[in-house]
Amino acid sequence: MSGKPGYHGKILNIDLSTGKIETVPVPAEDFDKFVGGQGLGMKILWDRLKKPGVDPLSPDNLLMFMPGPFSGLPVPSSSRTCVVTKSPITSPLKSDYTHPSTVTYSNMGGFFGPEVRFAGYDGIVITGKARVLSYVVIEDDKVEIREAAKFKGMRTDAFDRAFLAELGDRRFKTVYIGPAGENLVPYSSILHTAGRAAGRGGTGCVMGSKNLKAIAVRGTGQPTVADHKAFLAALENARRALNGSAFAKSWAEQGTARAIVGNSNAGTEAVRNYREGTFTEADKIGGDAARRDVWVKDIACYCCPLACKKSGMTKGKHGGVVHDGPEYETGVMLGSNLMISDMPGLLKAITTIDDLGLDQISTGNVIGFLMEAYERGLINRSFLDGIDLKWGSVDATLAMIEKIAAKEGVGALAAEGVRGLSWHIGKGSDKFAIQVKGLELAAHNIQANQPRGLSYVTASRGACHMSGDNIAMQNRRAMMDSTGMCFFPTFEPTLEEPMLALLSAITGRKFDKAEFEKVGERIFTLEKLFNYREGFRREDDRLPDRFFEDAFTVGPKKGAVLDREKFESMLTQYYQDRGWDPETTEPGKKKLKELGLDTI
């Protein structure tokens, strides 16, 4: 034990190459400085990947499942798990190393993180590569690596059921990859229960590179808290803040799908490969339509009153069970972005992507890019293996999804992402290849939203809408993802003080708003140090030309386009405010000392 209240003080380390399984103590100082989740995962990655340029798909890379100190306790909306690794999809424009890439941290809800804590660990670190396809079973301090050959190629929905039957106990909480991860698609995801995913940055690809199909965890313990009386008082205040909250009610009613129509009306939605910000048929795929025609059940993560996950049924040609969706990102990237307004068809695409284990955001972006290249005549139907990839075509979209996951024909090229596709196609296609550092943008368009553009270019994992639109938001988000707290309830302003009080009561360390943000800044800056060491510089913090050259032609923001000079000026100011060199983006010595990072 670390002697730190709120923590077990140890990480479970599993080397798949040697079969060695051990618990590794975590220094108390690391909990103080990096808390858990994303922050502690970043510190472990920095410490153990000492040399830049390590191949993300090599046995040396780390794949970490990191809950935070809130996980496993009855803190509302705080069951998140951060999957931290070195990304297989990002890279700088120039580097001295063979395999440079960013850190990536992909966050998922559900029940896995709490179960890791019940089993007695503050995180799981996977290294090495299994000789054959394998899975890991963890029951408290009993850990086994078992062969998984009979599950090879199984899609996630069927595997989820078969795996629990194999384990013989539904109390196990599991994470797993689909065919896309096994086939090393760089933007494949890790699934946890139907529809919950660590989707961004290629976490599933890293898991596949380790010949690891799944992990199952079951624990019987319980995390401790430093001040039980203060914890119960803060917990009651947190519950009261959410009880009856208009924000909580809206999440329960429509989840993130409520933003599909709202953002379209605001002109900030990804439409037609980001050519527009408004989708005139958004009401057909938005939250009202889904609530009326699809959803029959609201599902919550561990100890969450929001229940933002939905399930239901659609009918017709593309009908079937809906495990989740449309959410905002999935509904836009596979709907508005591809000009698809057929709800059953949209939900079939969402379901298929999860079933194959792909990132919804990157997959929708790749298909949108190919649709535009096809429309412009830069590629033909032969290039697309005969697929008539026209805007709004559900059947063509489904065909491309299957090819990408299998890396079959054009799917092998499409699996490399929009940047790789644009390099192959050429002909000026890079102008509408919507990515930053190799990672595709999320569903928020930016011709009329300059701060979100700042988020995309300065985020640590490549284009990231969740990082935050300014420095204060970035610091807070990094810290939130280190506690295990979900982003959604933070829209309720009265929750801030109870959550700070909960963190203080659990850890025994006083957290006010200033300290919370300072720890977040330390985490974000360490991520920047990692990326800088890999070779990322200011020239990598750039948006595609589309956002500066192609003004919207429809909607309330018609005519909107970013001003390149103003954007660069804003970027310079950002680096200066961060204490980073505005020319190279290297964090300055004064800032590193201020954050206690000068010694590492």
Side-chain angles (χ1 to χ4, degrees):
M1 294 291 291
S2 68
K4 281 290 296 178
Y7 299 96
H8 295 294
K10 60 185 179 181
I11 297 293
L12 178 62
N13 197 82
I14 302 171
D15 187 331
L16 295 172
S17 293
T18 64
K20 184 179 181 181
I21 299 166
E22 61 181 342
T23 55
V24 179
V26 178
E29 181 185 22
D30 284 355
F31 287 124
D32 283 338
K33 286 189 171 183
F34 301 98
V35 177
Q38 180 178 322
L40 185 59
M42 183 64 243
K43 178 57 163 55
I44 294 170
L45 192 72
W46 174 268
D47 286 344
R48 292 179 60 175
L49 283 191
K50 295 183 181 298
K51 293 182 179 179
V54 169
D55 185 347
L57 302 186
S58 73
D60 293 333
N61 195 12
L62 285 70
L63 178 67
M64 291 175 275
F65 296 83
M66 304 298 295
F70 282 170
S71 296
L73 293 166
V75 178
S77 306
S78 297
S79 68
R80 309 295 294 188
T81 305
C82 219
V83 182
V84 183
T85 187
K86 188 182 179 192
S87 176
I89 195 169
T90 57
S91 62
L93 294 173
K94 294 183 293 186
S95 178
D96 295 331
Y97 309 108
T98 308
H99 298 286
S101 68
T102 65
V103 60
T104 194
Y105 41 86
S106 197
N107 198 294
M108 62 182 176
F111 306 89
F112 190 77
E115 204 69 28
V116 170
R117 296 262 285 164
F118 296 154
Y121 308 104
D122 294 308
I124 300 171
V125 178
I126 307 291
T127 57
K129 178 179 181 178
R131 182 181 55 83
V132 296
L133 191 66
S134 303
Y135 66 87
V136 171
V137 180
I138 302 165
E139 291 187 82
D140 293 324
D141 58 359
K142 180 184 176 183
V143 184
E144 293 182 76
I145 303 170
R146 302 177 185 172
E147 290 194 9
K150 66 180 178 181
F151 298 121
K152 185 174 178 60
M154 285 188 72
R155 299 188 179 212
T156 63
D157 196 29
F159 175 76
D160 186 42
R161 295 191 297 271
F163 190 40
L164 286 173
E166 169 94 354
L167 295 168
D169 187 343
R170 296 189 64 83
R171 289 174 294 179
F172 276 100
K173 308 306 177 190
T174 60
V175 292
Y176 39 83
I177 58 173
E182 291 181 39
N183 293 332
L184 303 187
V185 176
Y187 49 92
S188 51
S189 62
I190 296 172
L191 273 291
H192 163 55
T193 71
R196 293 184 176 94
R200 305 249 64 200
T203 58
C205 182
V206 174
M207 192 161 168
S209 75
K210 297 188 176 303
N211 253 343
L212 183 62
K213 180 68 175 178
I215 303 172
V217 180
R218 183 160 104 66
T220 58
Q222 179 71 41
T224 61
V225 301
D227 187 334
H228 195 252
K229 185 177 180 180
F231 173 78
L232 291 178
L235 184 62
E236 181 63 21
N237 289 335
R239 288 171 174 167
R240 285 179 177 174
L242 289 176
N243 185 30
S245 161
F247 288 106
K249 185 178 179 180
S250 70
W251 288 115
E253 178 62 27
Q254 294 193 2
T256 59
R258 66 194 177 97
I260 292 175
V261 172
N263 282 12
S264 175
N265 290 341
T268 58
E269 194 151 291
V271 180
R272 199 167 185 165
N273 195 34
Y274 302 78
R275 181 64 184 81
E276 305 290 353
T278 299
F279 185 41
T280 57
E281 296 184 294
D283 60 311
K284 294 182 180 180
I285 58 172
D288 287 334
R291 176 58 68 188
R292 181 187 66 237
D293 301 331
V294 181
W295 297 332
V296 296
K297 188 174 182 180
D298 303 326
I299 304 171
C301 296
Y302 177 83
C303 283
C304 183
L306 303 189
C308 69
K309 180 176 164 57
K310 314 300 177 189
S311 67
M313 176 76 73
T314 57
K315 298 179 180 179
K317 177 182 177 183
H318 298 297
V321 175
V322 175
H323 289 308
D324 196 20
E327 294 181 314
Y328 178 74
E329 297 297 332
T330 60
V332 171
M333 294 311 300
L334 280 301
S336 308
N337 192 51
L338 306 185
M339 307 297 284
I340 290 175
S341 58
D342 169 26
M343 179 73 87
L346 166 63
L347 292 172
K348 178 65 174 178
I350 292 169
T351 300
T352 302
I353 287 173
D354 273 344
D355 209 20
L356 292 167
L358 287 164
D359 174 17
Q360 299 271 355
I361 293 173
S362 286
T363 303
N365 200 311
V366 166
I367 294 174
F369 171 81
L370 285 171
M371 283 180 170
E372 180 163 355
Y374 184 48
E375 177 190 44
R376 288 172 175 262
L378 305 185
I379 57 176
N380 57 26
R381 198 160 172 174
S382 176
F383 179 95
L384 295 168
D385 297 339
I387 299 173
D388 191 14
L389 197 61
K390 292 182 177 178
W391 296 110
S393 174
V394 173
D395 289 339
T397 296
L398 293 172
M400 276 303 307
I401 292 168
E402 296 284 350
K403 281 188 170 288
I404 290 169
K407 294 175 86 170
E408 174 189 286
V410 65
L413 279 175
E416 297 305 312
V418 296
R419 185 168 64 173
L421 275 167
S422 72
W423 287 343
H424 182 83
I425 294 169
K427 304 174 186 177
S429 62
D430 60 300
K431 289 180 177 291
F432 59 89
I434 310 301
Q435 55 80 31
V436 174
K437 300 181 180 72
L439 183 66
E440 291 77 14
L441 270 65
H444 302 259
N445 214 337
I446 52 178
Q447 279 95 326
N449 189 2
Q450 182 169 280
R452 185 53 52 88
L454 182 75
S455 176
Y456 283 137
V457 300
T458 60
S460 302
R461 64 178 182 180
C464 174
H465 67 296
M466 291 299 294
S467 178
D469 295 350
N470 56 53
I471 290 172
M473 288 173 66
Q474 288 177 336
N475 294 343
R476 284 197 296 271
R477 299 271 180 91
M479 183 56 175
M480 277 168 35
D481 285 350
S482 301
T483 64
M485 183 181 180
C486 179
F487 167 63
F488 295 160
T490 61
F491 286 86
E492 173 50 60
T494 62
L495 188 64
E496 182 177 57
E497 286 304 319
M499 284 300 191
L500 289 171
L502 278 167
L503 188 57
S504 300
I506 292 167
T507 63
R509 175 185 170 196
K510 176 63 177 175
F511 277 95
D512 56 16
K513 187 175 179 179
E515 181 63 16
F516 191 89
E517 292 189 7
K518 183 176 181 179
V519 176
E521 183 180 12
R522 180 181 298 122
I523 293 163
F524 192 91
T525 303
L526 183 57
E527 292 167 358
K528 176 61 183 178
L529 284 173
F530 182 93
N531 291 351
Y532 189 86
R533 186 172 70 178
E534 292 282 318
F536 290 88
R537 301 294 184 264
R538 177 166 180 158
E539 65 202 47
D540 297 296
D541 295 354
R542 62 182 300 273
L543 292 168
D545 290 337
R546 159 145 291 168
F547 300 115
F548 302 102
E549 298 176 0
D550 297 339
F552 292 153
T553 65
V554 297
K557 298 296 183 181
K558 181 179 179 179
V561 67
L562 290 182
D563 183 296
R564 198 183 297 270
E565 186 175 331
K566 288 182 179 178
F567 189 80
E568 287 298 321
S569 177
M570 180 178 70
L571 200 52
T572 296
Q573 188 63 54
Y574 170 89
Y575 299 135
Q576 291 173 341
D577 291 345
R578 273 278 183 205
W580 300 354
D581 187 313
E583 298 298 321
T584 67
T585 71
E586 180 180 13
K589 292 180 179 179
K590 181 180 178 181
K591 175 58 66 175
L592 295 180
K593 186 173 183 179
E594 175 189 323
L595 296 173
L597 294 175
D598 52 322
T599 58
I600 72 167

